[in-house]
Amino acid sequence: MAQVLYHQFPLSAEAHRTAASSSSKPMKHISVSTPQKGPLKRLQKTQKLNLEVSPHRAVSAVRLMRIELGGAFADLLNEKGKGSGENEMGYVERTLGFRTRELNDQDLRLVTDIVGGTIRWRRYIDHLISSLSHDKNIYGMEPLLLQILRIGFYEIVKLDMPHYAVVDENVKLAKVALRPGAGNMVNGILRKLVLLEENQSLPLPKVEGDDRSQARALATLYSHPVWMVRRLTKYLGQEEAIKLMMWNNSEPSYSLRVNHAKGFSRGDLVKQLTALKVSHKISLHLDEFVRIKTGLQIVIHAGLLRKGLCSVQDESAGLIVSVMDPQPGDTIVDCCAAPGGKTLYMASHLGGLGKIFAVDVNSGRLRILKETAKLHQVDGVIATIHADLRTLTDSEVLKSNKVLLDAPCSGLGVLSKRADLRWNRKLEDMEQLIKLQDELLDSASKLVNPGGVLVYSTCSIDPEENEERVTAFLARHPDFHIDPVDQYIPADFVTDRGFYSSNPVKHSLDGAFAARLVRGS
């Protein structure tokens, strides 16, 4: 199961300061008549254009509303970013009742920064809002008012923006989008926050008392769900859990994988990045990968992804493919393949010889895989199968010497990139996922020929989803045994039991896990 990446493009401190006050202009309301072509005649559409309100704050507020109330995913919204301006402004107009000027590149970077940061720090921010509001039940507020306050609080406590400009701009947004009284409320609360921030006296909890009390305090201070804090502390200890939560709240970095199938080398990519003035580092672990901290938007606009010359893929996922060890001529079954990051990488290793059967229950995601495979010119070795893996266990056609089960999981290893994932997961989900992982492992094992290998992988750092699932599987299937991964990946990633494990804090990569399980002859 490939995780969709959340594209975060951080701004410099100077850009934040400039953007904070860039829209402090006299108020203008303009009625714009935009001609549209219809089947019979030209229609006139009157739009209310507001040049007073900060465009990136208006768009950020609407995106946050769509994510929290409409079930949209932050990473998908931010992937679309550039080029979806008309659609984006349509959402703003329907939600707020007016349009702003179109977003420029700096606006777009601010939107992704503010939306991602506000979501990451939501529990921390909500604690502060509740502490400074007369009504402590802030979730009873109008949804738009709450989002405006969250934006203002994030900008004041986490971004290097002039406080006076942040207050002024968010008050304007509340007054125009809601009513004058809402603006007055935002003004009063944000001014309280500014005073406390400048005096370094924010009302934050202390980490003290029993384990539950400490977990609640840590959950607020580092903005994670309480159940997740308790789970991380249980397995890692408090000190390491704090380090991991700090990593999850930091700006994510990305890796680009070159597509050799198009004759594009890492050297070619390095030349392109240098020409685009995108800072980069060569991967220490994989020959096809280059790391970038900022500048992904520049890479996207340059068309490198659109042309299929490279793709965004974390090295932790690439190392899972190394554990799989695809070779020319192999027949491979990828059990939960879509949207296909690992499938495509494995296909590039086949050199046009062999076959990958990509199985997935989601037809829409399989369609994306097929389109991307064609773009990357590896579609000749990929066959897609739309089905639930658990219904394919009697299929002789899919019997193979190499089977990959990249299982649906909690995603606890990718929280730095998936800003909203921590709030969409519940403790009950873990029980359901573990049951599903066991079922999928049992089904995948039936596709492995005698002497063949089954690779089980996740993008989680949770032992119950990783090591414990393998232990339980081996107890049910004594004909399988562990094949240590040390001959496939660097020793720094190999556990005592011979599994692959990447640690976000230790390796500066997403968290991931893989085990090679060989079936007896």
Side-chain angles (χ1 to χ4, degrees):
M1 180 185 72
Q3 289 288 337
V4 181
L5 299 183
Y6 168 61
H7 292 171
Q8 181 89 10
F9 314 115
L11 290 174
S12 66
E14 181 59 34
H16 280 306
R17 288 192 291 271
T18 302
S21 56
S22 61
S23 55
S24 297
K25 299 176 181 178
M27 180 175 179
K28 295 181 181 179
H29 286 90
I30 302 174
S31 291
V32 179
S33 295
T34 304
Q36 293 185 334
K37 293 181 180 179
L40 299 175
K41 63 180 180 179
R42 187 179 299 269
L43 300 176
Q44 298 293 320
K45 183 180 179 182
T46 302
Q47 302 170 344
K48 186 177 181 183
L49 180 65
N50 188 303
L51 299 181
E52 177 198 38
V53 170
S54 169
H56 72 262
R57 290 185 178 89
V59 171
S60 295
V62 173
R63 281 197 185 183
L64 288 168
M65 293 266 287
R66 292 173 65 192
I67 292 165
E68 186 164 349
L69 303 179
F73 293 102
D75 55 325
L76 295 180
L77 290 178
N78 286 301
E79 268 187 9
K80 294 176 181 178
K82 188 71 174 177
S84 61
E86 179 62 27
N87 185 50
E88 184 92 71
M89 208 50 69
Y91 277 108
V92 171
E93 185 175 27
R94 287 192 292 277
T95 306
L96 306 184
F98 59 85
R99 293 187 170 218
T100 69
R101 64 167 173 78
E102 295 298 325
L103 302 181
N104 58 34
D105 288 343
Q106 179 172 284
D107 293 326
L108 284 168
R109 290 194 296 272
L110 274 166
V111 168
T112 55
D113 193 347
I114 289 171
V115 170
T118 301
I119 292 171
R120 281 190 185 89
W121 289 101
R122 192 176 81 189
R123 185 181 182 93
Y124 178 90
I125 290 169
D126 285 359
H127 168 81
L128 292 177
I129 295 174
S130 177
S131 299
L132 302 185
S133 300
H134 293 300
D135 185 357
K136 302 305 178 185
N137 179 23
I138 64 171
Y139 304 113
M141 285 184 183
E142 294 170 87
L144 178 57
L145 177 59
L146 179 56
Q147 303 304 342
I148 294 172
L149 282 170
R150 284 171 171 167
I151 291 170
F153 271 62
Y154 176 69
E155 290 177 324
I156 288 170
V157 299
K158 294 298 179 183
L159 295 183
D160 185 19
M161 286 187 172
H163 293 167
Y164 70 88
V166 172
V167 174
D168 184 54
E169 294 299 322
N170 283 288
V171 168
K172 286 180 184 176
L173 177 58
K175 285 184 176 180
V176 176
L178 292 167
R179 59 194 173 280
N184 294 336
M185 179 181 176
V186 170
N187 182 63
I189 294 175
L190 289 184
R191 286 186 181 278
K192 285 183 188 178
L193 177 66
V194 168
L195 183 61
L196 293 171
E197 170 71 9
E198 291 177 347
N199 291 332
Q200 298 183 343
S201 56
L202 293 177
L204 296 173
K206 294 181 179 180
V207 182
E208 57 188 13
D210 59 18
D211 290 346
R212 288 179 179 272
S213 298
Q214 290 188 39
R216 285 195 295 270
L218 289 170
T220 296
L221 292 172
Y222 297 99
S223 198
H224 281 64
V226 175
W227 75 264
M228 198 175 289
V229 174
R230 298 194 70 188
R231 200 172 185 90
L232 294 176
T233 303
K234 173 184 175 182
Y235 290 119
L236 302 176
Q238 188 175 106
E239 183 179 349
E240 290 302 313
I242 289 173
K243 289 179 182 178
L244 180 59
M245 289 188 287
M246 290 173 65
W247 166 268
N248 292 341
N249 289 333
S250 65
E251 303 289 356
S253 60
Y254 297 94
S255 294
L256 301 174
R257 177 180 65 81
V258 299
N259 181 16
H260 287 311
K262 278 204 166 183
F264 194 66
S265 69
R266 185 163 71 174
D268 294 330
L269 177 58
V270 167
K271 289 178 182 177
Q272 292 270 13
L273 294 175
T274 301
L276 293 169
K277 298 181 179 179
V278 173
S279 180
H280 56 276
K281 292 182 179 179
I282 300 299
S283 168
L284 300 176
H285 316 297
L286 295 163
D287 292 339
E288 300 97 331
F289 285 71
V290 176
R291 289 192 188 190
I292 61 174
K293 181 67 176 179
T294 60
L296 183 56
Q297 190 177 57
I298 297 172
V299 174
I300 294 171
H301 291 175
L304 298 180
L305 305 183
R306 185 177 65 253
K307 296 172 184 176
L309 299 176
C310 64
S311 57
V312 180
Q313 187 169 33
D314 196 78
E315 291 166 80
S316 63
L319 287 166
I320 290 174
V321 172
S322 296
V323 170
M324 191 70 193
D325 190 34
Q327 298 292 330
D330 280 345
T331 297
I332 300 171
V333 180
D334 191 350
C335 294
C336 296
K342 297 179 186 69
T343 314
L344 298 171
Y345 189 23
M346 289 191 294
S348 72
H349 280 260
L350 299 188
L353 303 174
K355 201 72 176 179
I356 298 177
F357 292 96
V359 181
D360 203 274
V361 72
N362 189 310
S363 59
R365 286 158 64 93
L366 271 181
R367 185 172 61 253
I368 294 172
L369 191 160
K370 291 176 68 173
E371 293 170 353
T372 311
K374 187 174 183 180
L375 174 66
H376 283 225
Q377 295 181 354
V378 293
D379 51 313
V381 296
I382 295 176
T384 59
I385 300 174
H386 175 218
D388 188 324
L389 174 68
R390 293 167 291 184
T391 67
L392 287 174
T393 52
D394 296 326
S395 175
E396 291 294 330
V397 177
L398 290 184
K399 291 285 187 179
S400 173
N401 289 332
K402 290 185 177 180
V403 175
L404 172 63
L405 173 59
D406 189 38
C409 67
S410 65
L412 293 182
V414 297
L415 294 184
S416 69
K417 291 186 173 73
R418 286 293 309 273
D420 51 338
L421 188 59
R422 71 189 71 178
W423 310 121
N424 295 335
R425 285 280 183 258
K426 297 180 176 62
L427 182 58
E428 308 85 74
D429 297 338
M430 300 296 290
E431 297 175 3
Q432 297 174 11
L433 283 167
I434 287 168
K435 181 176 182 293
L436 176 61
Q437 289 156 1
D438 284 343
E439 292 175 354
L440 292 173
L441 264 169
D442 290 342
S443 297
S445 70
K446 297 177 183 178
L447 304 180
V448 183
N449 285 327
V453 61
L454 167 62
V455 172
Y456 171 73
S457 66
T458 73
C459 57
S460 176
I461 56 172
D462 192 290
E464 286 192 34
E465 296 185 273
N466 297 336
E467 293 88 349
E468 293 185 23
R469 299 280 53 75
V470 174
T471 298
F473 172 79
L474 293 175
R476 297 192 304 273
H477 299 271
D479 54 329
F480 280 82
H481 65 270
I482 297 170
D483 180 23
V485 302
D486 52 352
Q487 62 180 307
Y488 305 102
I489 60 173
D492 195 40
F493 294 95
V494 182
T495 72
D496 292 340
R497 294 184 64 188
F499 302 141
Y500 156 64
S501 177
S502 59
N503 181 295
V505 176
K506 179 181 178 182
H507 300 118
S508 297
L509 302 176
D510 286 345
F513 171 87
R516 278 180 65 94
L517 307 170
V518 175
R519 188 170 200 168
S521 300

